């Protein structure tokens, strides 16, 4: 189905080694009244929080995060596979490590909390690139990620 497809274009700029990535969809776009909010930390459209006060929104987001963590812990505890080498942590005698939370990280969704776009943009800009979004409400969205070649640069590795 064309409406559910996402087109990806990756361009390697041979002159400076930078990379540009374009993601395009025709999934309805972003409403014009929400386009500037998407760069705000903790702003999400994954859940309907429109009719709540600021305090109620904070409580709801905290509850949702708690549910995500609880679900991830449950998924990890009942998974049949060893998801990561937790023995490596035990070898260093770190008694304060909660094994269930560490293992659950593999199953925790990385969406819907409102941190993805702001974090992508700030990291891209820190390393000399950028992230831009162009959307047509009612049609679709194009997202652009520009990444610089950092080989030989003086950018501090964090």
């Amino acid at each position: 189905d064309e409406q559910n497809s996402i087109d990806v274009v990756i361009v390697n700029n041979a002159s400076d080694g930078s990379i540009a990535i374009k993601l395009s969809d025709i999934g309805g776009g972003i409403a014009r009244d929400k386009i500037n909010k998407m760069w705000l930390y903790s702003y999400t459209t994954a859940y309907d929080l429109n009719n709540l006060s600021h305090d109620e929104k904070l409580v709801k987001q905290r509850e949702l995060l708690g549910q995500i963590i609880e679900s991830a812990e449950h998924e990890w505890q009942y998974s049949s596979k060893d998801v990561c080498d937790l023995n490596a942590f035990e070898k260093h005698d770190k008694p304060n490590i909660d094994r269930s939370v560490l293992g659950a990280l593999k199953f925790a969704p990385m969406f819907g909390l409102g941190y993805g776009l702001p974090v992508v943009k700030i990291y891209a800009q820190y390393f000399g690139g950028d992230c831009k979004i162009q959307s047509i409400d009612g049609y679709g969205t194009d997202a652009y990620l520009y990444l610089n070649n950092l080989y030989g640069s003086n950018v501090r590795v964090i």
Side-chain angles (χ1 to χ4, degrees):
D1 181 81
E2 188 176 299
Q3 186 175 8
N4 293 328
S5 70
I6 297 173
D7 294 326
V8 179
V9 176
I10 301 173
V11 178
N12 183 359
N13 186 343
S15 67
D16 64 2
S18 66
I19 295 175
I21 302 169
K22 176 185 174 188
L23 303 161
S24 299
D25 71 31
I26 51 173
I30 302 168
R32 292 175 62 191
D33 63 335
K34 295 182 174 143
I35 200 84
N36 290 327
K37 295 177 185 177
M38 71 182 165
W39 301 111
L40 300 174
Y41 286 98
S42 79
Y43 175 75
T44 181
T45 59
Y47 314 101
D48 184 15
L49 301 174
N50 290 334
N51 298 325
L52 302 178
S53 71
H54 177 70
D55 290 342
E56 290 172 323
K57 286 180 185 179
L58 292 176
V59 169
K60 184 67 173 170
Q61 286 179 330
R62 189 173 29 224
E63 288 172 358
L64 291 169
L65 183 57
Q67 290 171 3
I68 289 168
I69 292 170
E70 186 176 304
S71 173
E73 287 176 342
H74 182 271
E75 183 73 29
W76 178 73
Q77 289 172 352
Y78 295 103
S79 69
S80 60
K81 298 182 223 164
D82 185 17
V83 296
C84 62
D85 184 10
L86 295 176
N87 293 326
F89 291 105
E90 291 173 350
K91 291 175 188 171
H92 298 290
D93 297 324
K94 301 214 185 245
N96 295 328
I97 294 174
D98 185 341
R99 291 174 54 94
S100 64
V101 172
L102 283 173
L105 290 176
K106 178 176 180 184
F107 297 100
M110 297 303 294
F111 61 88
L113 298 176
Y115 296 102
L117 284 175
V119 168
V120 165
K121 186 171 188 75
I122 200 75
Y123 269 102
Q125 289 175 340
Y126 179 82
F127 290 110
D130 204 358
C131 178
K132 296 186 180 283
I133 306 286
Q134 295 291 318
S135 186
I136 299 173
D137 188 11
Y139 180 74
T141 303
D142 293 335
Y144 302 89
L145 180 62
Y146 303 100
L147 303 171
N148 282 341
N149 180 354
L150 298 178
Y151 180 76
S153 74
N154 292 328
V155 174
R156 189 179 85 170
V157 177
I158 54 173

